[in-house]
Amino acid sequence: NIPLFSVLRKIIMKNWYKFILFTFPIYLVFLATIAEFFAHKLKDIPMLRHDTDKLAAALEKGNNKAEVAILGDSITYDILKTYKIDEDYNVANLTTNLASGLIGGYFIIKRYLDHNNPIQHLIIASTPEFYSYEPEGKGAEVYLFSVFQKKDEVSFLEESVENFTKPKRELAILNLENKIFYKLGYYFFGKNVDFNRGKKIPNPNMVLNKSISDKSLTPGKIDTAKLKISSDIKNRAKKNISMSPSGKNAITKICDLSEKHNFKIHILRSPIPKTVVDEWRSKKIIKKLNQEIAFYCPKIEFFVTEDSWNVPDYAMRDSDHLIRPNWSNFYALILKRAIDKLF
């Protein structure tokens, strides 16, 4: 038995060494070559992971006709994906989220103008934080750096964002998700992507509720949620808002586009809880921010919406976003009236 065991052991070890030293590397090189082949074929295909990817893909399709385009963060996106704020879809919803930042907004409006019909008006409808945000971390990687990778976009990111690192050459087999799988998603389903337009008509008679009215929550959980929201709002009020370096560069570039393509730029503040407004007003934060924006783009027009963006704290479902549907409907009506004033 002992000699037989010894022989089997030698055979197994010999085959194992052969697999490790020869067979496995050959298979690995073969798989890496196949991955590189598909990655090369798909290199100009955008990824399809989230709504910002879908928006970027929709921009490239071209031939969209709109007189008004709206840039903004998730507070405005939350409204425009739900509500129809114009009569005949004459508004292009180009809103994203904070992680894309104003610099992402610049890339989006530039791509839109490169591939679609000219606009007459651009509205930037967002929180003040949209202007102060400096892209960083995983959020910026997912929603900005990995979305906008054209040569001129990468160059502008290098100029504008301090912590941006130019993408390095990477083997496809080490990043199959981004190099192949997400791009295959666009290849098979991308033809159906479009601007995320809401269909619900805002109700001018909707009653504004004065507290959280989620029937799925018990009274105790509602009280806990209220305390959490109140705490987050107070923390938001402590922020010192001013334009970020990338925000300054982005607004300057957007202003240049307005000169080149002959459209007007309007700033509209999304609703902000009263606690935050009172604190920022006492420190003249919004006034100083408006002066900064006007310095970098003197032609910008500001909507006078102080009565509308100053909402009670109980209108918020967190420190930034409005309670649905009552207060989101309220903001949809603000946007609708703002657009009506342009014509």
Side-chain angles (χ1 to χ4, degrees):
N1 292 336
I2 294 175
L4 179 61
F5 176 78
S6 178
V7 170
L8 289 174
R9 184 172 178 273
K10 288 180 180 180
I11 293 173
I12 291 171
M13 292 301 294
K14 182 179 180 181
N15 288 336
W16 177 251
Y17 287 139
K18 181 180 178 182
F19 175 77
I20 291 294
L21 296 176
F22 299 103
T23 308
F24 179 72
I26 290 171
Y27 279 136
L28 194 61
V29 170
F30 175 74
L31 291 173
T33 303
I34 294 296
E36 287 299 322
F37 172 78
F38 280 106
H40 178 73
K41 289 292 184 182
L42 297 169
K43 66 183 177 65
D44 296 323
I45 302 294
M47 288 185 278
L48 205 63
R49 301 162 294 176
H50 44 64
D51 285 346
T52 304
D53 276 341
K54 293 175 184 177
L55 174 59
L59 298 173
E60 303 286 328
K61 291 173 67 175
N63 298 320
N64 187 70
K65 297 178 181 179
E67 294 180 67
V68 181
I70 301 181
L71 293 177
D73 52 21
S74 61
I75 290 80
T76 307
Y77 170 78
D78 197 31
I79 307 305
L80 296 184
K81 72 176 182 179
T82 305
Y83 294 95
K84 180 182 177 182
I85 60 171
D86 62 309
E87 296 300 325
D88 51 3
Y89 289 123
N90 200 30
V91 174
N93 175 17
L94 307 184
T95 56
T96 53
N97 53 45
L98 185 64
S100 295
L102 188 59
I103 193 168
Y106 161 62
F107 292 147
I108 286 168
I109 188 61
K110 184 177 184 301
R111 285 193 184 189
Y112 181 89
L113 294 168
D114 286 344
H115 298 282
N116 299 274
N117 287 22
I119 58 173
Q120 295 182 33
H121 301 274
L122 173 67
I123 298 175
I124 306 177
S126 70
T127 60
E129 288 94 332
F130 195 54
Y131 299 89
S132 67
Y133 174 72
E134 190 64 24
E136 60 181 355
K138 186 65 176 179
E141 174 62 35
V142 172
Y143 292 101
L144 180 63
F145 303 154
S146 63
V147 178
F148 304 101
Q149 295 190 329
K150 293 185 178 181
K151 188 175 180 180
D152 61 321
E153 293 167 345
V154 171
S155 296
F156 189 67
L157 285 168
E158 285 185 294
E159 295 171 14
S160 305
V161 181
E162 185 177 348
N163 61 358
F164 173 74
T165 303
K166 188 175 181 179
K168 296 179 180 179
R169 171 70 176 161
E170 184 180 31
L171 290 175
I173 198 168
L174 300 178
N175 191 1
L176 290 173
E177 274 191 332
N178 288 347
K179 295 282 187 178
I180 296 177
F181 296 149
Y182 287 134
K183 296 193 172 195
L184 284 175
Y186 176 84
Y187 185 81
F188 289 111
F189 307 108
K191 293 180 180 179
N192 297 322
V193 297
D194 201 353
F195 300 97
N196 203 340
R197 297 183 174 103
K199 297 180 180 180
K200 189 175 181 179
I201 305 298
N203 180 3
N205 301 313
M206 182 172 286
V207 177
L208 298 173
N209 57 304
K210 295 186 177 182
S211 64
I212 298 173
S213 57
D214 190 338
K215 294 180 180 179
S216 67
L217 297 178
T218 63
K221 289 185 177 180
I222 287 177
D223 290 339
T224 302
K226 286 180 181 178
L227 289 172
K228 176 69 166 59
I229 294 168
S230 177
S231 174
D232 290 345
I233 288 173
K234 289 175 182 176
N235 288 332
R236 184 184 179 190
K238 296 175 184 177
K239 292 180 181 177
N240 188 18
I241 305 296
S242 61
M243 289 199 76
S244 66
S246 65
K248 293 173 183 177
N249 287 349
I251 201 69
T252 301
K253 287 290 189 179
I254 291 172
C255 206
D256 291 343
L257 287 176
S258 74
E259 293 284 352
K260 180 180 178 180
H261 295 276
N262 194 30
F263 62 83
K264 294 181 179 180
I265 309 174
H266 312 271
I267 299 292
L268 189 148
R269 297 271 177 259
S270 57
I272 304 172
K274 187 178 185 301
T275 295
V276 177
V277 172
D278 290 345
E279 183 69 18
W280 285 354
R281 184 184 286 125
S282 69
K283 297 177 181 177
K284 298 183 179 179
I285 286 176
I286 299 298
K287 181 179 180 181
K288 291 176 183 177
L289 179 62
N290 289 348
Q291 289 171 343
E292 273 193 293
I293 294 170
F295 176 81
Y296 289 98
C297 187
K299 67 178 292 182
I300 277 183
E301 300 176 7
F302 292 85
F303 279 110
V304 180
T305 58
E306 185 169 337
D307 59 331
S308 59
W309 56 255
N310 183 359
V311 297
D313 290 3
Y314 57 72
M316 314 302 292
R317 71 175 188 267
D318 56 37
S319 62
D320 303 286
H321 298 85
L322 295 160
I323 287 176
R324 304 187 188 103
N326 309 67
W327 288 97
S328 59
N329 180 85
F330 169 79
Y331 185 25
L333 291 170
I334 292 173
L335 290 167
K336 189 177 187 307
R337 286 195 295 269
I339 290 169
D340 290 343
K341 288 179 181 178
L342 299 177
F343 300 100

